[in-house]
Amino acid sequence: MSLRNEIENALARYALAYDDGDMDGVERVFGETAVFTMKIGDGDLIGPLNGREEIMGLFRGAHESQTDQRRHITTNLLIDEIDEKNVRTVSYLLITSAENGALRALSTGKYEDEWTRSGGNWVLTKRHIALDLPY
């Protein structure tokens, strides 16, 4: 499998796990010492959250508060290979919501990620999400 396919699969694993409420699956995508930040529009920077446990606290809380069915769609993936075990990626994000028979686009944004190959899988070591609108 090519590097591109491996990274696309890792991004898809994250999105599918979150959308299915599989927080253990989301957790497996983050490295143990990962760092997470997020900025929504012109708002303040959220984070940095340090370590998988702190990151997952945010993700679990956010998911529990959502009553709709979210879908995270990732596209326009660019990969910058640092070496055979580390890459940087940038990709676009579209978040949709289905609820009460209606479909809405909630937000768009950009993922800026750093990945490390660990045990045959790619795990996030750093993620910054820049959302255009609140979700």
Side-chain angles (χ1 to χ4, degrees):
M1 185 179 300
S2 73
L3 172 62
R4 181 173 198 81
N5 291 126
E6 290 174 3
I7 295 296
E8 285 176 335
N9 283 346
L11 284 165
R13 257 193 299 286
Y14 165 83
L16 290 168
Y18 187 89
D19 294 343
D20 288 346
D22 176 8
M23 292 296 111
D24 292 337
V26 173
E27 187 171 346
R28 284 190 294 274
V29 175
F30 284 93
E32 189 174 327
T33 60
V35 176
F36 176 87
T37 56
M38 179 168 56
K39 188 163 171 92
I40 302 172
D42 293 332
D44 294 335
L45 182 69
I46 298 167
L49 303 179
N50 295 296
R52 186 187 300 147
E53 187 174 325
E54 197 170 321
I55 294 166
M56 290 309 300
L58 174 74
F59 280 88
R60 284 188 170 93
H63 193 272
E64 288 173 8
S65 72
Q66 296 162 359
T67 59
D68 56 344
Q69 177 60 64
R70 303 279 168 103
R71 299 289 183 214
H72 290 71
I73 301 148
T74 309
T75 187
N76 293 35
L77 174 64
L78 293 175
I79 300 172
D80 179 22
E81 188 172 2
I82 299 168
D83 59 41
E84 59 192 37
K85 289 190 171 188
N86 299 283
V87 298
R88 282 189 200 103
T89 63
V90 176
S91 54
Y92 283 159
L93 164 68
L94 168 64
I95 304 172
T96 63
S97 166
E99 187 172 38
N100 299 322
L103 178 64
R104 297 182 304 134
L106 294 181
S107 190
T108 55
K110 182 168 64 171
Y111 290 132
E112 297 174 14
D113 296 327
E114 293 182 15
W115 302 84
T116 295
R117 189 184 298 272
S118 175
N121 293 314
W122 288 97
V123 295
L124 284 165
T125 56
K126 190 173 185 181
R127 167 162 273 188
H128 175 71
I129 303 175
L131 291 177
D132 301 318
L133 297 171
Y135 61 100

